[in-house]
């Protein structure tokens, strides 16, 4: 190799990592440093194997890779040769290490970018490994890029804020033959290959500007649906800042204005989305130098005891330096309890806005009336926030446009027949201001619609791309079943429950629950104490036994009893709650919970949340769900459902679940007579009648096929659909059919359907 002694490689490796350690505001644990060393040795072997180096030649180099003497490890040539033999047998790229995943979690929580900074430092380390004997070439660059891409993808997936790399790998590929890059980094020869040493501190500490196209973020803003007022105001800010730059270039005096903003409007009108774009726009026009957005609420600024709020607020402000501090529902900072903590946060904020006015901007957001009260409550706030941007509610047409954009992004196609029904839903939803959430309402409706579409498509045998992509009328009208009937009453809800076939045990349990609730309400009216009563339920039983139908009725019953404000039912399962990467499951779960507030969240096959082992993201969903059940216990109910044995194991596996789900309702399989009754109800609803031999054939079918084997009520529905298909085929093949026979189902139809798979 080109090194005079092994200390050169060790020194280069240690200097690069030390630069990163000095740039972070926390102490990196020795165990983590050990993990970094181990990972870097793995990557070194990967790169050297790719480069075709000899195992004996690599032994000394590998033993030079350590941060401290305590972490130095000696490897033999045989061990390295064995590692190379394993690498030769399979296509391998070093996986994302645990310490990097942990750092990403911290970045997501703190809105920082230390994982991306470490990535740049590791890239320099990999460059050092790849150039121990000769300069970088395209092949070696590609090997480094493979490792780099996997780490960068993890950052991108978790939405870690951007960090612009101060170099590119291609910069290190010399145009002519030069000596080893590691020699260059030590000797600083000054040839046309960049000096690694010059980049060590840059990769870890500085954030050089990356050239971007002007107006890119502004163009993205202008592509958003609606937001006419916001677009106009921000365009004016943009134009003003540009003119000030031109005046400065011409030696003319420049005017100083406040770039702090107040965003007012209802939920879901795009305030957070626009705030993120404003950060990038401010970067483009030179107001800030990074352009990231730190999103907080009052709880992120206020501590629970005297003197700590100022510290907590200052820490958040520090994270926002170079970008935007976005404070949602900022009016909650008002000190309504006279404890002084909210005012302490406001005072700290005002001071920093003055002292660091050229380093960051603040956007305060919330409902219009409350934001007016907030700004006018303090002269300091009023003097610093003098530009208001109002976000109007979306019109029905704009809501439709947003919905279509979701469909386009998800590669779905709308059937023309479905469009009027969707528009009608948005018209009704926007009229109910108590629950309307603008674009969030659209997203919730979209997610529920594609869930319904998936349920329908799952029954279709030939799942072509067209079938998988088409959203039909029947997929979008689910809301008709969930609109709260203003004339709904407890008696009507119970009547609908009792009209269901079978379910005697279920009806008895629900009757007992209603009696208990009414009794507690009576005691409360008389000023008597009541024991705590959990309204959350566990439904256990085989598929098709009516669990979802009963859950929907429970939502109505709870609303009629005054226990819930809306009485809606939101259906979900593991796939609707769990995301595929760190930190996102809680967000996904919380979104589903938000859509169910005021009603019932029905989690089917809930035990699947705990099926992935200790490191599975399902536990994150469970934790988020349990917290929401506690925080919203007065207007939110959860019903979990699934097979009895699995549900029992699931609930008793977690004390939090066990304490909240203490009422089980068992759904028995349907009897033969009950399945016949269900079939007849389908016939009656769809205006069909059974001939005498058809009823006998039906009885024979259900005796031969148990309810559990065919899926209970679902199996009955499937049979009915097959039967009417066979009846249609029989009639179509007959030239002489009486009009009254068009609605008669015969034994022949039953037999033909039962033979179909």
């Amino acid at each position: 190799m080109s090194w005079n002694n092994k200390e050169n490689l060790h020194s280069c490796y240690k200097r690069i990592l030390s630069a990163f350690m000095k740039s972070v505001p926390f102490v990196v644990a020795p165990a983590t440093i050990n993990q970094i060393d181990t990972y870097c040795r793995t990557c070194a072997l990967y790169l050297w194997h790719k480069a075709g180096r000899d195992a004996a030649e690599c032994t000394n180099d590998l033993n030079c890779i350590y941060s401290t003497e305590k972490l130095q490890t000696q490897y033999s040539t045989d061990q390295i040769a064995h590692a190379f033999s394993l690498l030769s047998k399979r296509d391998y790229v070093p996986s994302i290490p645990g310490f990097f995943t942990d750092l990403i979690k911290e970045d997501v929580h703190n809105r920082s970018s230390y994982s991306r900074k470490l990535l740049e430092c590791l890239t320099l380390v990999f460059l050092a490994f790849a150039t121990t004997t000769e300069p970088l070439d395209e092949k070696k660059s590609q090997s480094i890029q493979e490792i780099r891409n996997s780490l960068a993808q993890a950052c991108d997936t978790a939405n870690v804020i951007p960090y612009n790399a101060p170099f590119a790998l291609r910069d290190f590929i010399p145009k002519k033959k030069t000596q080893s890059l590691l020699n260059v980094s030590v000797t600083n020869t000054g040839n046309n290959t960049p000096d690694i040493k010059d980049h060590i501190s840059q990769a870890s500490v500085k954030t050089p500007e990356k050239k971007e196209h002007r107006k890119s973020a502004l163009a993205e803003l202008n592509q958003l649906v609606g937001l006419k007022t916001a677009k106009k105001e921000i365009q004016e800010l943009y134009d003003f800042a540009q003119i000030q730059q031109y005046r400065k270039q011409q030696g003319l005096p420049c005017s100083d204005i406040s770039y702090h903003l107040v965003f007012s409007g209802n939920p879901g009108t795009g305030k957070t989305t626009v705030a993120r774009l404003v950060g990038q726009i401010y970067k483009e026009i030179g107001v800030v130098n990074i352009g990231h957005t730190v999103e907080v609420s009052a709880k992120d600024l206020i501590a629970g005891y005297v003197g700590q709020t100022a510290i907590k607020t200052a820490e958040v402000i520090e994270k926002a330096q170079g970008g935007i501090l976005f404070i949602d529902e900022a009016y909650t900072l008002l000190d309504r309890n006279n404890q002084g903590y909210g005012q302490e946060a406001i005072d700290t904020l005002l001071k920093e806005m003055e002292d660091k006015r050229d380093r960051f901007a603040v956007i305060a957001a919330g409902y219009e009336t409350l934001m007016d009260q907030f700004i006018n409550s303090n002269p300091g706030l009023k003097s610093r926030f003098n530009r208001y941007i109002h976000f109007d509610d979306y019109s029905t047409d704009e809501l439709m446009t947003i919905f279509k954009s979701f469909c386009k992004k998800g590669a779905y196609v709308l059937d023309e027949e479905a469009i009027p029904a969707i528009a009608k839903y948005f018209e009704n939803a926007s009229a109910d201001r108590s629950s309307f959430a603008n674009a969030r309402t659209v997203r919730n409706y979209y997610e529920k619609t594609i869930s319904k579409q998936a349920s329908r498509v799952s029954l279709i045998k030939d799942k072509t791309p067209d079938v998988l992509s088409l959203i039909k009328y029947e997929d979008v009208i689910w809301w008709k079943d969930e609109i709260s009937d203003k004339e709904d009453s407890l008696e009507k809800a119970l009547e609908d429950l009792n009209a269901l076939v079978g379910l005697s045990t279920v009806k008895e349990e629900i009757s007992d629950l209603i009696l208990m609730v009414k009794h507690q309400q009576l005691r409360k009216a008389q000023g008597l104490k009541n024991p705590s009563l959990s309204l959350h339920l566990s439904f256990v039983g085989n598929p098709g036994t009516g669990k979802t139908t009963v859950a929907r009725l429970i939502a109505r019953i709870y609303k009629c009893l005054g226990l819930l404000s809306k009485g809606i039912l939101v259906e979900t399962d593991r796939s609707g709650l769990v995301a595929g990467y760190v930190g996102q499951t809680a967000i996904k779960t919380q979104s589903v919970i938000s859509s169910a507030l005021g009603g019932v969240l029905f989690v089917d096959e809930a035990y699947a949340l705990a099926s992935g082992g200790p490191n599975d993201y399902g536990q994150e969903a469970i934790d988020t769900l349990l917290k929401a059940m506690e925080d919203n216990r007065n207007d939110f109910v959860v019903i979990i459902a699934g097979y009895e044995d699995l549900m029992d194991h699931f609930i008793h596996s977690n004390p939090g679940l066990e304490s909240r789900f203490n009422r089980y309702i068992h759904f028995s399989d349907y009897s033969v007579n009950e399945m016949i009754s269900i079939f007849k109800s389908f016939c009656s609803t769809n205006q069909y009648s059974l001939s005498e031999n058809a009823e006998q054939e039906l009885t024979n079918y259900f005796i031969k096929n148990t309810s559990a084997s065919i899926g209970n009520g679902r199996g009955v529905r499937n049979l009915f659909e097959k039967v009417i298909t066979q009846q249609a085929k029989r009639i179509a093949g007959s030239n002489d059919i009486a009009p009254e026979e068009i609605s008669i189902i015969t034994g022949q139809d039953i037999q033909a359907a039962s033979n179909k798979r």
Side-chain angles (χ1 to χ4, degrees), residues 672 675 697-707 709-710 754-755 757:
V672 171
M675 288 193 290
E697 286 293 339
L698 194 63
T699 302
N700 294 338
Y701 175 83
F702 287 131
I703 291 174
K704 182 179 179 181
N705 299 277
T706 63
S707 55
S709 68
I710 66 171
S754 63
N755 291 329
R757 293 293 181 184

Side-chain angles (χ1 to χ4, degrees), residues 135-137 170-178 181 192-193:
L136 191 69
D137 56 25
R170 188 171 294 276
D171 296 339
F172 289 88
I173 301 177
K175 293 184 174 64
K176 59 184 180 180
K177 188 174 181 181
T178 62
L181 284 181
N192 69 339
T193 302

Side-chain angles (χ1 to χ4, degrees), residues 132-164:
T132 52
T133 57
E134 57 187 13
L136 191 69
D137 56 25
E138 288 285 354
K139 184 177 179 181
K140 292 178 181 178
S141 175
Q142 181 62 34
S143 298
I144 296 173
Q145 194 64 48
E146 288 176 359
I147 308 175
R148 178 183 171 83
N149 285 347
S150 65
L151 299 175
Q153 180 62 39
C155 294
D156 293 342
T157 301
N159 293 320
V160 176
I161 64 174
Y163 174 78
N164 296 326

Side-chain angles (χ1 to χ4, degrees), residues 14-25:
K14 186 175 179 180
R15 284 168 57 208
I16 294 171
L17 289 186
S18 295
F20 171 74
M21 304 299 180
K22 292 176 182 178
S23 74
V24 297

